[in-house]
Amino acid sequence: MSAPAVPADLRRTAPPADAVGDTPPPAPASRSLRAHLGTLAGTAILGVLLWRMGTGVFLDGLRRIDAPTVLAALGIGLVTTVFSAWRWALVARGLRIRLPLGPAVADYYRALFLNAALPGGVLGDVHRAVHHGRSAGDLGRGVRAVVLERVAGQLALIGVGVVVLLTLPSPVLGEARRAAPLVTLAVLGALAVIVALRMNRAPARGGRVLRATLGEARQGLLSRRNLPGVAVSSAVVLAGHLVMFGLAARVAGSGATVAELTPLAVLALLAMGLPLNVGGWGPREGVTAWAFGAAGLGAGTGLGVAVVYGVLSFVASLPGVVVLVVRRFARPDGSYGRPGLFPAAGSAVGSAVGSAVRKEKYVPKESARLASSSFPFSAEPSEGRPMTPESV
């Protein structure tokens, strides 16, 4: 007996091979290459510098660092880290997630150390964003708070850099002045596109995403409540980086004046923002060596300044090791305690890190209390959406 025939409309045919998925997934080798491209580029830059100038410049820079220089680097690092953490807490408050200053300082120190110790230079910030988002019960807002905080720092650097490079003598003064009109037109065009998107009553999905992103940026950075604090903290942090660069120049034996060093320091800091480095090393050394050489101060001296600056920056991040060790032994999962709760921060700068890594218990009533302290170290964060252990 033959099997019953299956109706034509119920027959299932296999889809053609080219119809399964629009595009094939990228090969693992390609993803790995893209992920390590920055590390490879930074390593190549360092290799070329070592090949052209030798190891003597590196070793001489290391020998010049003494105990007073290390203490000065730690002091400068304390100031820049506390103000960076305050800026982060302000942005988090604008996005309606809690982040008291004490935990922010501790997390920032840990992120700085991881950025300096691991390839890529951004893994510490990634860990900081994910850890805060999970602890606050809103991973997306936690990540966006870190992104906006870093954007605020880069905008401050770019704004000051434009003024410095257009006014003070530097190897790029002529090029900067010739490029200024084109850059101005590009910025005005981008602003016109943003205004057009905001006036569109029925935007596409991409327009809605852009409008939502701009709305969060306005709340976190440009609101009347946050803008003064974000501007002050960004200015102090940038000034701290410039002072650290000046300290490195003096240690390396450079006799350049402040007016000569400032544009060179701005170029080095801009190069550090490129994602082509090994723990911050690579483009900074190449750009600094070129800038010092073009300014008539000696490429070898510039490389020595960059090496000393890199070492001092690493020294300034070493309190992050203490945070890592204490957090590991105090709480194996690395959390602050209950999901979404942070210990309240004191106003004293000297006890900021200690208060963050101390194991404390809080009752539910305390979890609804906003952390506060005196200006300028008061984030006054607002509560986000209700959080439960299942939402983390």
Side-chain angles (χ1 to χ4, degrees):
M1 179 182 295
S2 60
V6 180
D9 57 345
L10 297 181
R11 294 173 185 170
R12 303 176 64 181
T13 59
D18 57 353
V20 180
D22 295 332
T23 56
S30 300
R31 292 197 299 266
S32 178
L33 180 60
R34 288 194 299 268
H36 297 288
L37 179 60
T39 302
L40 294 175
T43 304
I45 294 173
L46 290 177
V48 172
L49 291 174
L50 287 173
W51 173 57
R52 295 296 300 270
M53 299 185 177
T55 59
V57 177
F58 288 85
L59 298 178
D60 184 63
L62 294 177
R63 283 194 295 264
R64 290 174 176 268
I65 300 175
D66 53 11
T69 303
V70 170
L71 293 177
L74 288 172
I76 296 172
L78 175 63
V79 174
T80 56
T81 303
V82 170
F83 274 89
S84 296
W86 177 42
R87 179 176 62 194
W88 181 26
L90 290 173
V91 175
R93 179 189 67 183
L95 300 186
R96 299 185 180 277
I97 51 177
R98 297 188 65 226
L99 180 59
L101 181 64
V105 172
D107 280 0
Y108 219 103
Y109 261 122
R110 178 176 57 186
L112 289 175
F113 173 74
L114 294 177
N115 284 344
L118 299 177
V122 296
L123 296 180
D125 290 327
V126 173
H127 181 273
R128 172 165 62 103
V130 174
H131 176 71
H132 175 225
R134 289 177 175 174
S135 300
D138 195 327
L139 181 59
R141 289 188 181 183
V143 171
R144 291 192 294 273
V146 171
V147 171
L148 289 176
E149 184 269 328
R150 298 303 299 153
V151 167
Q154 291 300 312
L155 289 177
L157 173 59
I158 292 173
V160 173
V162 168
V163 175
V164 169
L165 296 179
L166 289 176
T167 56
L168 295 180
S170 70
V172 297
L173 178 60
E175 290 78 2
R177 289 180 174 176
R178 285 192 292 269
L182 297 178
V183 174
T184 302
L185 291 176
V187 172
L188 293 177
L191 292 177
V193 172
I194 293 174
V195 171
L197 289 175
R198 289 182 60 85
M199 295 177 62
N200 188 3
R201 296 182 178 273
R205 182 178 182 275
R208 289 195 298 269
V209 172
L210 179 59
R211 293 180 65 179
T213 302
L214 293 176
E216 287 193 334
R218 183 177 64 253
Q219 295 172 1
L221 302 178
L222 303 178
S223 64
R224 288 183 295 179
R225 191 180 184 187
N226 280 6
L227 180 58
V230 171
V232 170
S233 59
S234 299
V236 172
V237 171
L238 180 56
H241 292 321
L242 294 176
V243 171
M244 184 78 82
F245 191 89
L247 175 63
R250 294 296 175 261
V251 172
S254 174
T257 63
V258 175
E260 293 174 328
L261 284 177
T262 301
L264 305 181
V266 168
L267 290 174
L269 294 176
L270 290 173
M272 289 176 58
L274 299 176
L276 305 173
N277 58 78
V278 183
W281 297 77
R284 176 185 60 210
E285 284 66 34
V287 170
T288 306
W290 168 82
F292 269 72
L297 301 174
T301 302
L303 180 58
V305 171
V307 170
V308 175
Y309 181 88
V311 173
L312 295 183
S313 299
F314 181 76
V315 169
S317 70
L318 287 180
V321 179
V322 179
V323 177
L324 282 171
V325 174
V326 173
R327 285 259 178 91
R328 175 61 59 183
F329 283 96
R331 195 176 299 278
D333 60 355
S335 66
Y336 296 117
R338 296 182 182 180
L341 302 185
F342 294 85
S347 60
V349 174
S351 63
V353 176
S355 64
V357 299
R358 190 170 58 245
K359 184 178 180 181
E360 300 180 9
K361 294 183 179 180
Y362 295 86
V363 296
K365 182 182 295 184
E366 290 292 326
S367 66
R369 187 176 301 173
L370 299 180
S372 63
S373 58
S374 57
F375 184 83
F377 304 124
S378 174
E380 299 180 2
S382 301
E383 288 291 327
R385 64 189 186 191
M387 290 166 283
T388 63
E390 292 79 12
S391 66
V392 178

